[in-house]
Amino acid sequence: MDRSETRAGTERRPETPAEIPTEALLEAINTVLMSLGRALICLDERFFVMHASPALDELVGEGARAAAVGRPVEEVLGGELFGGQGTLRRALEAGERREGWGATVRVPGAKPRLVSISVAPLRHDLSDLCDPFVRYLVVLRPAEQWETTGGSGVTLFSGLVARSPVMMRIFELVENLHESDATVLITGESGTGKELIARAIHQHSRRRSGPFVAVNCGALPPDLLESELFGHVRGAFTGAIKDRVGRFELASAGTLFLDEIGDLPLHLQVKLLRVLQEHSFERVGESVSRRTEARIIAATNADLARAMLAGRFRDDLFYRLRVVPIEVPPLHQRREDIEPLARFLLVRVGERHGRILRLAPDAIRTLLRYSWPGNVRELENALEYAVAVGQGGETLHAEDLPPELLAGAPTTLPAAEMVEPMDVPHGNETRVEGTGSQPAAPA
């Protein structure tokens, strides 16, 4: 008697996986993952989306599944992770898996959604149970679920690197602004990355095809700053030998970033207020009003509330600028970000020196214990120092770091604020991976 028959000889055993059609097997897997609040995306060897589970519609929005299938995964989950040199793409091509990374799902017709993803190559011994063209698997879950479960994943977001909940909320806010032209005021200490956030807002907005024009309001004398912002006509002042287009005109179809807005002189604050209210201005030496549709993002490390009390900053301008406030916390208040930032920045420093570099565990512990008064900018400078003075090996140790880190590390930080080094996949304990992006220096 056939083993597949029961004693009564009328029923067969349940089918083995090899006998189950691909569609039925995928449906079963999708059902299991959906019950766990997960969505599945299957990729071919070219990193195109071959299959996506119905849970993707629940996670991102109706129609997301259909919109994702057939597209390069980098268009769905971002080039920083899945582009030609993307971190997760390189890991998959090397046969490695990664868990708990942050990404933003973008498909036509659906609102961008921040999610946590895990990736793995499909095992060769399982390929006959699935579509033979599937090579890689991507599992998605809501980012808020990842945060509350204490996930150690890292998010790469428009040149920003973080894993702290406070930065995740800022990333989500940036995503939520994608249809808005509201004025944004970014505050935070020097070196925290304010300009990077401004650039991310621009890149995720309807104006991303237009220019991003930056002006440092504290870097120029008042007369030159006025001409820089509004432009001038020939003969407006000594040295004005020809007409000049100002930054408001240059940024009319894009975004104008006013850095260090707290240093703007009072008479220019009045002119800026008018631009915000009426969307018009005059060039220096001209009485003709010109129209501008530039979106304004301002940033400062100054205490504008105190400046208003002292009469150095107009309160009406403050409230015009602060339609959407974003406060970037200093690095010592988001210690979860120190290690992933250090690994990310070390790639950039290493590329400048033509070297592939790693951080030893003692170096990571030293970085985690330091208070970082100079924030991300100081962190990058510390890594630059370590590479310059190191002994030329591929691994940087604690003794390669600047002396102030070694002197301040044991005593600067209360024990209650310590952060343990993040978990790194087996076989990559100290490996620094490329990210496929080159962020600008922190603001």
Side-chain angles (χ1 to χ4, degrees), residues 271-420:
K271 289 196 170 186
L272 177 58
L273 181 63
R274 182 192 171 193
V275 177
L276 292 173
Q277 291 173 333
E278 303 177 12
H279 299 281
S280 65
F281 65 95
E282 293 89 32
R283 289 180 177 178
V284 178
E286 186 180 54
S287 58
V288 177
S289 290
R290 297 175 180 269
R291 187 81 180 165
T292 181
E293 298 298 334
R295 196 258 185 91
I296 306 298
I297 301 177
T300 183
N301 60 11
D303 185 341
L304 293 186
R306 181 175 295 179
M308 287 189 292
L309 290 174
R312 298 191 306 272
F313 201 86
R314 296 178 62 95
D315 55 356
D316 48 2
L317 177 59
F318 173 77
Y319 292 113
R320 279 284 182 179
L321 292 171
R322 195 180 177 273
V323 176
V324 179
I326 297 179
E327 183 177 358
V328 187
L331 192 53
H332 71 83
Q333 290 183 7
R334 47 186 176 102
R335 295 194 164 274
E336 307 98 310
D337 297 337
I338 293 174
E339 183 177 351
L341 273 168
R343 293 180 182 276
F344 182 81
L345 293 171
L346 189 58
V347 172
R348 184 167 64 180
V349 174
E351 287 175 348
R352 289 200 290 264
H353 292 265
R355 297 166 60 187
I356 298 175
L357 301 164
R358 301 179 176 90
L359 287 167
D362 63 335
I364 294 174
R365 286 191 290 269
T366 300
L367 296 176
L368 291 174
R369 286 196 293 262
Y370 186 62
S371 61
W372 300 109
N375 295 295
V376 183
R377 184 179 292 114
E378 184 185 11
L379 174 59
E380 183 169 11
N381 290 342
L383 295 172
E384 186 77 55
Y385 173 95
V387 174
V389 305
Q391 299 302 310
E394 292 185 351
T395 302
L396 300 181
H397 293 273
E399 59 265 26
D400 298 319
L401 296 170
E404 62 269 21
L405 270 66
L406 302 177
T411 59
T412 302
L413 182 66
E417 296 183 24
M418 280 300 297
V419 174
E420 290 299 319

Side-chain angles (χ1 to χ4, degrees), residues 258-276:
L258 301 176
D259 199 7
E260 302 307 337
I261 192 69
D263 294 333
L264 193 68
L266 281 169
H267 76 282
L268 292 183
Q269 292 180 30
V270 176
K271 289 196 170 186
L272 177 58
L273 181 63
R274 182 192 171 193
V275 177
L276 292 173

Side-chain angles (χ1 to χ4, degrees), residues 71-195:
R71 298 166 64 89
V73 69
E74 65 185 281
E75 294 183 6
V76 179
L77 294 172
E80 291 180 313
L81 296 178
F82 289 99
Q85 295 298 315
T87 302
L88 296 188
R89 180 171 183 147
R90 291 173 63 186
L92 288 172
E93 289 174 336
E96 300 168 355
R97 67 173 184 267
R98 294 288 186 269
E99 299 180 3
W101 284 70
T104 301
V105 183
R106 292 186 185 86
V107 291
K111 179 180 177 182
R113 177 71 188 274
L114 189 64
V115 297
S116 172
I117 62 175
S118 298
V119 301
L122 183 66
R123 283 170 40 187
H124 295 299
D125 58 335
L126 297 177
S127 59
D128 61 338
L129 305 182
C130 194
D131 187 322
F133 294 102
V134 171
R135 291 291 180 269
Y136 311 110
L137 304 177
V138 182
V139 178
L140 302 83
R141 60 175 171 169
E144 56 267 24
Q145 185 181 100
W146 164 54
E147 292 174 21
T148 57
T149 55
S152 61
V154 179
T155 294
L156 304 181
F157 182 84
S158 295
L160 292 151
V161 183
R163 66 171 175 148
S164 62
V166 64
M167 292 304 293
M168 294 302 105
R169 288 191 289 271
I170 289 176
F171 295 170
E172 289 184 86
L173 176 57
V174 171
E175 290 286 11
N176 290 336
L177 291 173
H178 75 285
E179 293 292 335
S180 173
D181 283 337
T183 305
V184 180
L185 178 61
I186 307 172
T187 58
E189 294 181 4
S190 178
T192 51
K194 298 186 292 296
E195 182 171 345

